[in-house]
Amino acid sequence: MYAYFTAVADNRIVRMRYQNGRLGPPDTVFTGIPKGGNHNGGRIAFGPDGMLYATAGEAGNPPLAQDRGSLGGKILRMTPNGRPARGNPFDNSVVWSYGHRNPQGIAWDSEGRLWA
């Protein structure tokens, strides 16, 4: 199971394996997503390409959405282990798209196109 949650320093994605009828300890997959009191949320889902996608709000700081060096205000695409996915638009980056205020949901249509 993968979960997106707010930690003390940031928003992050963790993985917990189901073991012996219980969830095991959290294994951190990805960190560093800005947190805030506003536009703090995110969603995660696996795409038809097997990659992990995560939405991230701009944490109430609008310029973050346009800053490609920030993870806020973005849709992120990564391997299931939290590494940048091959084919992302920016080299060695998990940023798939940017300029989002507070993307909440993501889904794919029958042609494999991502909608947010």
Side-chain angles (χ1 to χ4, degrees):
M1 177 187 105
Y2 285 75
Y4 186 115
F5 75 95
T6 301
V8 172
D10 58 10
N11 285 318
R12 55 186 52 197
I13 299 169
V14 299
R15 173 179 47 218
M16 293 173 278
R17 298 198 187 274
Y18 191 69
Q19 304 167 337
N20 303 319
R22 309 181 106 193
L23 283 176
D27 173 31
T28 302
V29 172
F30 194 80
T31 63
I33 302 168
K35 71 175 193 169
N38 192 351
H39 303 166
N40 186 48
R43 302 293 185 272
I44 57 174
F46 281 95
D49 58 1
M51 295 297 122
L52 179 60
Y53 290 75
T55 67
E58 36 78 313
N61 185 356
L64 293 182
Q66 295 296 326
D67 179 355
R68 289 193 326 210
S70 169
L71 298 173
K74 310 291 186 292
I75 295 176
L76 311 175
R77 179 177 175 259
M78 63 193 79
T79 68
N81 291 322
R83 301 277 185 229
R86 185 176 255 164
N88 282 357
F90 309 107
D91 288 338
N92 202 32
S93 173
V94 296
V95 174
W96 181 248
S97 69
Y98 66 101
H100 303 277
R101 180 174 182 235
N102 192 31
Q104 288 295 312
I106 50 177
W108 289 263
D109 65 19
S110 62
E111 296 180 32
R113 294 177 297 195
L114 174 65
W115 293 84

